[in-house]
Amino acid sequence: MGYAHLDRPVQFLKGVGPKRADIFKKLTIGTARDLLYHVPRRYDDASTILPVARLEVGMDATALGRVRSRGVIPTRSRLRIFQAVLEDESGMITCAWPGQPWLERKIREGDRILVTGPVKFFHGRQLHPREFTVVSRAGKEEEEEKARGSAGAIFTTYPSTDEIPQWVLRRVFEENLDWLLEHAGEEEVFPAEVLDPLGLPGIAEAFRRLHRPETLQAAEEGRRRLAFDELFFLQLIHALVRWRETEREPGIRFQRTNALIRPLHESLPFRLTGAQVRVLQEIYEDMTSPRRMTRFLQGDVGAGKTLVALFAMLLAVESGHQAALMAPTELLAEQHALKIRSMVEELELPVALLTGSLDARARAETLEGLREGRIPLVVGTHALIQEGVVFRQLGLAVVDEQHRFGVRQRMALGDRASGAPAGKGADGARGKGSDPLPRPDVLVMSATPIPRSLALTLYGDLDLSLLDELPPGRTPVTTLLRRPEQRDEVYAGLEKELAAGRQGYIVYPLVEESEKSDLRAATQEHARLSQEVFPHRRVGLLHGKLSGEEKEGVMKAFREGELDLLVATTVVEVGIDVSNATVMVIEHAERFGLSQLHQLRGRVGRGAERSWCILVAEGGDVARERLQVLAGTTDGFEIARQDLRLRGQGDLFGAQQHGRDPLLRFADLSRDEALLLEARTLARKVVESDPELEAPAHEAIRRHLELRHRERLEMWKVG
Ligand code: ADP
Ligand code: MG
């Protein structure tokens, strides 16, 4: 591989040196390439930067000028105000930062600063900056002149820190940008034939537009190109994983006999929805083909995913295989087992439950049954993927993901497939010790609908199936937004339902980091509610710190109507299905994501009675507007889109992938779906034609993948 200029350590760039290079490292800038990718975080159109003479009281404005004088002014209320007089060719204006005397150390006389904020009247016009940037340092006029000469009509602001302030970054870029852009072409991985039809600039041009845009539009075009690259490499990894999981080795070709599928069909007291029929067709087709299925099933709350999964499991079983369903918690595994047992009652199929709380004897028995193939269906927790669990012939692994399993665990049940590792004694049950059995098909189910762009990003290695239709005859849940002061009214409404013989939930948020205090909240509230508010009602308490047995006890009591009201943390979020429950009160609703609230709301409205979801929320208009989305629609996919738009992808990734770094700096999943689809199509085309990326045409892609996406490759264990 040839020497790349962009590999040059920043230390050897102009104006950097060893000391600054150390500081740059903290911004994860180690090489010239890193610097090139350190693009401005903000662009100001020069036409929106006003001459200070034109600033008027009442405006929200951006101005750029030199600090003529500055100082801290004490006031009678002991509030200390930092003030700076800003001057440009047109005149002067005072900028004031009440309560921030320390700025005296940051802003010096002679500095050129960019300020944005409201213009107020206070002994004349005064700008109160929300944001400011020291654009160039006093006494460095020379560089500044250069900077002004090369800058276009757009003013750029780089991401900076206290240690590498804006003016240092600007100088470093001024001195090195020409050189960086000259070599930016080294980063190119696509030929013009690929880029042109997509309307994307070449990589060097994209960097130029990002660092030195003539217009805001140009900067956006530069961003799109880098976003495309990010999305492409992400989809490329997905495509490689997909190839490894589904194409490299043959899968199981299931034989559909209908011996089990038909009786289940006939025993159902309802018709399948159109979406269920369509999705089952997709699944059956995959399963009966020689290719291994790895599929992601998304559906709204109550859309009937479990039933779809059960049909798929029965196809595996009637074809002579075993099927397993893995749930993220014991409570859920138990619920699934109950539900499935009741649905297959007439088929007389044994359904085993394997969780961590089985006693030694029950566990040994279950393991033996799985090993010998006597147990066709098993539901469990991650206990299913632990050492010692061996299937005779696992054909289908269903993973009820609920966003709690990581990527590796997701596929671990599928890898279980090949049975016992050789030489561990149990492989005798697996036949002649010849070829390993094909790995089982995998069906991943997600409880909460997520937008397509996010689904393709998180689960791009899987094929997507969408259950976007609810069974008919459901009354939509009425959703109300209430303030904490209205709590008595909320309790009165709840009491009315309880008096009519129905049941209800009151849910408190549980944020993992502060689990203890939240737990106290639910526990204390339980005491208060059961003693003071609803002394004549039977009030239960459910939270994650109860043992499996205790939880099951509480749930059983609630299911069987021995409890009227269930005070709970978010453990009720998923799977719990009590059709007599008609009220869901959610406290501190402002602390939940919309999708999570939607999921919680799905716990009511499961029967024929009218149901209510009452969101008790603090906070201002913005927080309440967000919650209003939920009151306005019951479409989980729409809610997820809004959630993505309002909260941003970082949060979604955080919530769903345990803070895993999304590595998406340029792409915005709420805006770039079309771009993502293009990236995905291209990535799949590349892998289909050249799964090992050996072709000379893919050399740059492969190098870039290894160089810049190592972490991700590692995570997916490909390459
Ligand atoms: P999900 O897991 O998608 O939230 P479930 O599979 O738990 O939904 O289904 C919710 C309820 O709807 C269950 O009681 C199930 O038996 C029922 N159900 C599933 N499919 C249908 C259908 N086509 N018509 C009516 N009810 C259905
Ligand atoms: Mg198959």
Side-chain angles (χ1 to χ4, degrees):
M1 223 137 298
Y3 169 78
H5 294 86
L6 294 179
D7 286 333
R8 185 176 293 183
V10 274
Q11 178 181 342
F12 303 119
L13 297 186
K14 283 187 211 153
V16 182
K19 227 163 127 198
R20 249 177 209 158
D22 272 351
I23 308 176
F24 267 119
K25 267 199 199 99
K26 289 193 193 149
L27 277 177
T28 64
I29 298 174
T31 62
R33 179 182 296 105
D34 298 335
L35 196 62
L36 188 62
Y37 277 91
H38 192 75
V39 304
R41 66 170 170 84
R42 173 178 160 166
Y43 297 92
D44 286 284
D45 191 329
S47 64
T48 63
I49 300 178
L50 290 179
V52 300
R54 284 186 36 210
L55 299 178
E56 281 169 32
V57 174
M59 280 180 170
D60 198 89
T62 297
L64 179 64
R66 189 174 302 285
V67 176
R68 213 188 137 96
S69 61
R70 88 230 209 284
V72 172
I73 300 176
T75 61
R76 239 181 273 161
S77 62
R78 298 220 286 177
L79 177 73
R80 305 204 319 142
I81 301 176
F82 177 72
Q83 283 193 353
V85 175
L86 199 67
E87 179 181 39
D88 68 5
E89 289 93 0
S90 72
M92 286 188 265
I93 189 167
T94 303
C95 296
W97 287 264
Q100 300 182 53
W102 60 85
L103 288 180
E104 195 169 19
R105 291 193 303 273
K106 300 231 158 127
I107 296 177
R108 304 191 194 157
E109 224 170 273
D111 285 354
R112 235 156 67 91
I113 63 175
L114 181 74
V115 289
T116 302
V119 182
K120 303 192 173 177
F121 185 83
F122 197 80
H123 302 299
R125 299 175 310 153
Q126 231 181 40
L127 199 148
H128 287 204
R130 258 193 316 280
E131 254 200 275
F132 79 92
T133 307
V134 176
V135 169
S136 58
R137 190 46 111 200
K140 313 283 182 190
E141 280 75 15
E142 239 173 275
E143 283 90 353
E144 196 197 315
E145 285 316 308
K146 250 195 286 171
R148 221 181 303 174
S150 57
I154 302 295
F155 195 88
T156 55
T157 308
Y158 285 95
S160 57
T161 65
D162 274 356
E163 288 166 301
I164 309 183
Q166 193 64 215
W167 60 272
V168 170
L169 270 167
R170 291 181 67 81
R171 284 180 53 205
V172 169
F173 273 109
E174 268 324 311
E175 293 192 63
N176 296 285
L177 194 55
D178 286 334
W179 183 85
L180 286 171
L181 291 176
E182 201 179 302
H183 299 288
E186 288 175 3
E187 285 295 283
E188 188 58 273
V189 292
F190 300 120
E193 301 97 84
V194 167
L195 298 172
D196 291 349
L198 297 171
L200 295 169
I203 197 74
E205 176 59 17
F207 278 117
R208 194 195 60 73
R209 289 184 199 179
L210 279 164
H211 285 285
R212 260 181 207 153
E214 295 92 16
T215 61
L216 293 178
Q217 181 57 30
E220 163 61 12
E221 285 159 8
R223 181 201 71 86
R224 270 190 91 234
R225 167 61 210 265
L226 291 195
F228 181 80
D229 286 22
E230 274 181 350
L231 295 168
F232 170 80
F233 281 100
L234 184 57
Q235 292 301 322
L236 184 68
I237 293 173
H238 283 320
L240 289 168
V241 171
R242 180 186 147 82
W243 182 82
R244 179 191 68 191
E245 298 294 337
T246 68
E247 306 284 349
R248 200 163 59 183
E249 310 156 8
I252 304 168
R253 184 176 205 147
F254 292 95
Q255 302 297 319
R256 183 166 166 192
T257 67
N258 282 328
L260 298 171
I261 289 176
R262 182 170 304 131
L264 177 64
H265 247 293
E266 284 165 359
S267 73
L268 291 178
F270 47 73
R271 291 168 60 108
L272 295 182
T273 63
Q276 281 173 320
V277 171
R278 174 171 42 80
V279 165
L280 275 172
Q281 235 152 26
E282 292 166 358
I283 291 173
Y284 291 159
E285 209 163 285
D286 268 8
M287 289 180 69
T288 53
S289 89
R291 200 172 71 81
R292 183 183 186 214
M293 172 173 80
T294 59
R295 193 167 272 284
F296 180 59
L297 172 61
Q298 258 211 89
D300 209 339
V301 186
K305 289 181 292 289
T306 314
L307 186 59
V308 167
L310 179 59
F311 272 114
M313 292 167 88
L314 291 186
L315 171 54
V317 174
E318 70 181 26
S319 183
H321 291 78
Q322 292 163 294
L325 189 160
M326 182 164 79
T329 65
E330 288 207 3
L331 193 64
L332 278 169
E334 285 157 15
Q335 292 245 339
H336 275 308
L338 262 171
K339 217 163 163 182
I340 288 177
R341 276 181 187 142
S342 77
M343 287 196 275
V344 300
E345 211 173 346
E346 290 171 31
L347 305 179
E348 291 178 1
L349 274 180
V351 180
L353 177 66
L354 184 64
T355 65
S357 57
L358 282 194
D359 64 46
R361 230 187 78 206
R363 180 179 146 85
E365 243 167 63
T366 306
L367 292 191
E368 193 185 289
L370 291 174
R371 189 165 50 230
E372 294 178 351
R374 267 183 287 113
I375 298 176
L377 289 174
V378 60
V379 178
T381 54
H382 55 271
L384 281 170
I385 51 175
Q386 270 155 15
E387 193 84 13
V389 183
V390 180
F391 291 88
R392 171 154 168 73
Q393 201 168 36
L394 183 61
L396 174 68
V398 180
V399 182
D400 189 5
E401 172 135 312
Q402 329 284 11
H403 309 307
R404 281 184 198 149
F405 292 120
V407 169
R408 283 195 191 134
Q409 275 173 305
R410 183 199 301 164
M411 296 311 284
L413 188 56
D415 289 337
R416 201 89 316 227
S418 351
K424 282 222 174 155
D427 54 341
R430 300 212 31 243
K432 323 274 167 304
S434 53
D435 290 343
L437 294 173
R439 290 183 295 167
D441 286 8
V442 174
L443 181 68
V444 179
M445 294 199 289
S446 138
T448 315
I450 55 178
R452 181 157 76 155
S453 59
L454 191 62
L456 291 179
T457 300
L458 294 176
Y459 303 93
D461 55 319
L462 309 175
D463 291 311
L464 301 191
S465 279
L466 217 55
L467 264 190
D468 49 4
E469 183 185 348
L470 294 183
R474 300 237 171 109
T475 330
V477 178
T478 307
T479 302
L480 303 171
L481 196 51
R482 293 288 179 261
R483 292 186 182 280
E485 308 87 85
Q486 295 170 293
R487 208 172 264 126
D488 286 344
E489 186 192 312
V490 171
Y491 290 151
L494 183 53
E495 171 57 28
K496 221 162 120 191
E497 288 291 300
L498 300 184
R502 315 239 204 282
Q503 292 160 283
Y505 302 94
I506 300 186
V507 176
Y508 293 87
L510 186 141
V511 180
E512 264 168 48
E513 296 91 300
S514 56
E515 208 162 308
K516 274 197 194 118
S517 63
D518 286 327
L519 185 60
R520 186 152 16 88
T523 313
Q524 278 173 357
E525 283 298 296
H526 171 256
R528 187 179 69 84
L529 289 161
S530 54
Q531 285 155 29
E532 294 167 27
V533 188
F534 300 101
H536 53 300
R537 300 288 171 206
R538 297 159 301 175
V539 187
L541 174 63
L542 186 70
H543 57 70
K545 284 288 156 74
L546 296 179
S547 72
E549 217 171 305
E550 288 167 323
K551 264 186 257 173
E552 179 53 25
V554 174
M555 275 318 301
K556 190 157 175 277
F558 190 67
R559 219 162 24 222
E560 292 175 357
E562 285 159 21
L563 292 171
D564 304 301
L565 189 59
L566 193 56
V567 174
T569 58
T570 47
V571 285
V572 294
E573 188 183 336
V574 276
I576 284 166
D577 192 355
V578 178
S579 57
N580 189 48
T582 55
V583 191
M584 159 80 51
V585 176
I586 303 171
E587 293 279 353
H588 285 289
E590 76 281 354
R591 284 171 61 179
F592 293 89
L594 291 182
S595 294
Q596 201 183 6
L597 290 170
H598 177 64
Q599 182 68 34
L600 283 166
R601 176 168 68 176
R603 298 308 105 208
V604 294
R606 305 208 136 222
E609 302 300 333
R610 178 150 188 214
S611 295
W612 311 82
C613 174
I614 300 163
L615 307 173
V616 182
E618 291 174 20
D621 292 344
V622 178
R624 295 176 70 83
E625 191 189 322
R626 192 172 71 87
L627 294 174
Q628 211 67 55
V629 170
L630 210 68
T633 179
T634 54
D635 177 347
F637 286 96
E638 176 56 27
I639 288 166
R641 271 192 294 276
Q642 298 279 358
D643 217 9
L644 179 60
R645 191 177 62 78
L646 294 167
R647 294 208 302 167
Q649 62 205 33
D651 227 27
L652 284 165
F653 274 107
Q656 301 191 352
Q657 295 293 86
H658 292 276
R660 170 186 132 205
D661 182 357
L663 301 177
L664 291 182
R665 285 176 54 206
F666 299 99
D668 176 350
L669 294 179
S670 67
R671 289 196 292 154
D672 292 331
E673 185 172 314
L675 201 61
L676 187 152
L677 291 174
E678 299 284 6
R680 178 176 169 86
T681 306
L682 180 63
R684 286 203 166 186
K685 222 168 77 189
V686 166
V687 172
E688 261 163 42
S689 69
D690 181 19
E692 309 282 356
L693 303 181
E694 292 161 333
H698 299 146
E699 151 112 37
I701 290 175
R702 203 192 61 228
R703 205 177 33 192
H704 195 98
L705 185 69
E706 283 162 2
L707 217 68
R708 300 191 51 83
H709 298 271
R710 202 171 299 142
E711 248 173 88
R712 218 182 224 144
L713 281 172
E714 192 92 330
M715 188 167 78
W716 287 93
K717 291 200 177 139
V718 284

